[in-house]
Amino acid sequence: MLKRSSIQRSNEELKAYFADLAVQNLRPLWTVDQPKEPKSKAVPYVWHWRDLRSRVMRAAELVGTEEAERRVLVLTNPGTQWGAANTLLANIQVVLPGETVRAHRHTNAALRFIIEGKSGYTVVDGQRCPMIPGDLVITPSWSWHDHANDSDVPMLWLDGLDGPLVRMLEVGFREDYPEEIQPACEGNDNSQSRYASGGLLPAWEAAPSTPHTPMYRYPLKQAKAALERLAAQETGSLYDGVILEYTNPVTGGPVMPTIGCYIQLLRGGEHTEAHRHTSCVCYHVVEGSGYTLVDGQRLEWEEKDVLSVPGWAFHEHVNTTDRPAVLFSLTDIPAKRALGYYREQAHYSGRQ
Ligand code: GTQ
């Protein structure tokens, strides 16, 4: 008969054994706590625009873009002390009228969601991408990028990056462009007119081999029109209302391999059901106000606020007004899916 074994020994013997192991840099696995499910170090958190904006603007009074290669405030989750979420950064950057921000590249994948301004631009691998409030502009891993503000008002935007993931994987490289700024191609980035044709793609092109979308810019105008059109004809998701993913038009996959981007509309008065997933999420409120319940904690939000929902935390959204609310979000779903670690679970009683 085979069975599990049980051994007689004194506690002193065991303690002496453990002490000897420690000297050898060894550790007995059976003494290590192994939780049944993840518990994020990150905590549910909201940064209110009313507190953020003045502090970001103050940075622009104190440091120039010569001194600060990126004039950025890092929204820091009190639980992790690096970035807004466990694998994601959600930073706020400001560029004043007439300023340029030097060109560089890094392995960190990045995106900008424009919050305020008129007509700055980012040059991504030579493509000049105009930045209009509400637009999403992506700067994939290892792409050269520099920013500029050629308007007469400050530009503020949300930077989303996979910084903490890159740090954890120890794959961080960075490089300065040999010049201050890249020579931009004539005219604006044309990826919009090439790829945003309702499912039609240039047939003379070989399928791009890059792991990111060939479309660098996703205007809010199109996203909002799609949200409103779908809100008029469909219920959407039980957990997220009418939610759309920004996708690679060629593959239908996420915009970048480590970061997924979404935009959602919560109807006036909508109160979603609660669920949780292993991916963490940073939300930016494009318009409207309400609150999100995260593991029982109420995060109140209004326009331009940023909130962090840790992985495997139950969350449900409530639009407290009678007008639609629109939320932009970035998540690490693509990274977790690719590794086979994505899981999702509905709350057992619908709501918390
Ligand atoms: O604009 O390239 O928030 O390199 C952090 C690192 C923005 C940028 C950030 C960066 C950038």
Side-chain angles (χ1 to χ4, degrees):
M1 239 309 244
L2 299 175
K3 64 179 177 69
R4 300 211 290 173
S5 60
S6 173
I7 288 173
Q8 301 299 315
R9 41 81 190 149
S10 73
N11 278 343
E12 285 67 40
E13 252 181 312
L14 199 61
K15 263 174 73 180
Y17 173 61
F18 287 171
D20 170 63
L21 287 182
V23 174
Q24 299 294 321
N25 290 310
L26 296 166
R27 209 169 152 183
L29 178 66
W30 64 91
T31 65
V32 178
D33 185 36
Q34 299 192 327
K36 289 210 156 49
E37 58 177 36
K39 175 82 190 99
S40 183
K41 281 200 179 70
V43 297
Y45 203 78
V46 56
W47 292 264
H48 295 291
W49 189 244
R50 59 176 182 268
D51 302 323
L52 276 174
R53 190 183 188 283
S54 57
R55 287 169 174 88
V56 174
M57 291 310 293
R58 182 70 179 140
E61 291 172 357
L62 295 171
V63 290
T65 51
E66 183 77 59
E67 181 183 352
E69 183 167 324
R70 293 300 186 264
R71 195 199 281 118
V72 162
L73 294 186
V74 179
L75 277 54
T76 303
N77 190 291
T80 63
Q81 293 301 317
W82 181 238
N86 182 47
T87 57
L88 300 169
L89 299 175
N91 304 336
I92 305 290
Q93 179 159 179
V94 57
V95 183
L96 294 181
E99 281 181 342
T100 59
V101 178
R102 104 175 297 304
H104 71 191
R105 66 178 175 181
H106 35 67
T107 37
N108 292 27
L111 60 92
R112 335 273 155 204
F113 191 87
I114 319 309
I115 302 175
E116 252 188 60
K118 241 164 45 187
S119 71
Y121 60 90
T122 289
V123 180
V124 187
D125 276 344
Q127 301 287 324
R128 187 186 193 274
C129 300
M131 297 167 112
I132 297 165
D135 289 0
L136 170 68
V137 176
I138 65 147
T139 51
S141 177
W142 213 235
S143 58
W144 294 112
H145 53 282
D146 53 83
H147 318 299
N149 183 349
D150 57 355
S151 78
D152 54 3
V153 290
M155 292 231 40
L156 289 94
W157 65 74
L158 177 82
D159 283 316
L161 298 99
D162 58 5
L165 181 66
V166 167
R167 221 183 234 202
M168 185 186 302
L169 297 174
E170 300 181 333
V171 291
F173 296 86
R174 56 183 301 126
E175 201 168 74
D176 280 339
Y177 192 73
E179 314 286 329
E180 278 276 311
I181 55 169
Q182 301 170 73
C185 300
E186 282 285 305
N188 288 337
D189 154 65
N190 69 355
S191 64
Q192 260 303 302
S193 61
R194 298 187 89 190
Y195 296 108
S197 317
L200 296 167
L201 295 172
W204 64 91
E205 245 188 20
S209 54
T210 54
H212 57 261
T213 169
M215 200 154 84
Y216 289 147
R217 197 164 56 89
Y218 298 75
L220 179 66
K221 220 172 122 189
Q222 284 176 11
K224 265 194 85 173
L227 286 175
E228 285 163 7
R229 192 170 62 240
L230 289 171
Q233 62 196 47
E234 322 231 355
T235 327
S237 148
L238 275 179
Y239 313 106
D240 285 299
V242 176
I243 182 161
L244 299 173
E245 182 177 3
Y246 292 87
T247 59
N248 176 330
V250 177
T251 62
V255 287
M256 296 185 285
T258 51
I259 311 179
C261 294
Y262 296 79
I263 192 158
Q264 71 197 84
L265 182 149
L266 302 167
R267 295 177 178 86
E270 183 160 358
H271 185 159
T272 69
E273 295 198 4
H275 73 160
R276 60 182 175 181
H277 34 64
T278 47
S279 54
C280 52
V281 191
C282 296
Y283 295 91
H284 163 72
V285 184
V286 181
E287 59 182 61
S289 56
Y291 66 92
T292 298
L293 267 184
V294 188
D295 273 348
Q297 205 175 318
R298 188 172 162 135
L299 303 179
E300 303 274 354
W301 44 260
E302 52 190 24
E303 211 172 290
K304 299 178 179 167
D305 290 354
V306 180
L307 44 153
S308 173
V309 174
W312 212 237
F314 280 115
H315 55 284
E316 66 201 64
H317 306 293
V318 186
N319 178 353
T320 50
T321 73
D322 56 9
R323 316 237 340 115
V326 177
L327 307 177
F328 167 79
S329 59
L330 55 140
T331 84
D332 62 3
I333 288 180
K336 283 179 176 152
R337 277 223 174 104
L339 298 173
Y341 292 145
Y342 184 74
R343 286 197 195 195
E344 197 175 340
Q345 185 185 55
H347 193 271
Y348 20 88
S349 54
R351 288 181 187 156
Q352 297 168 79

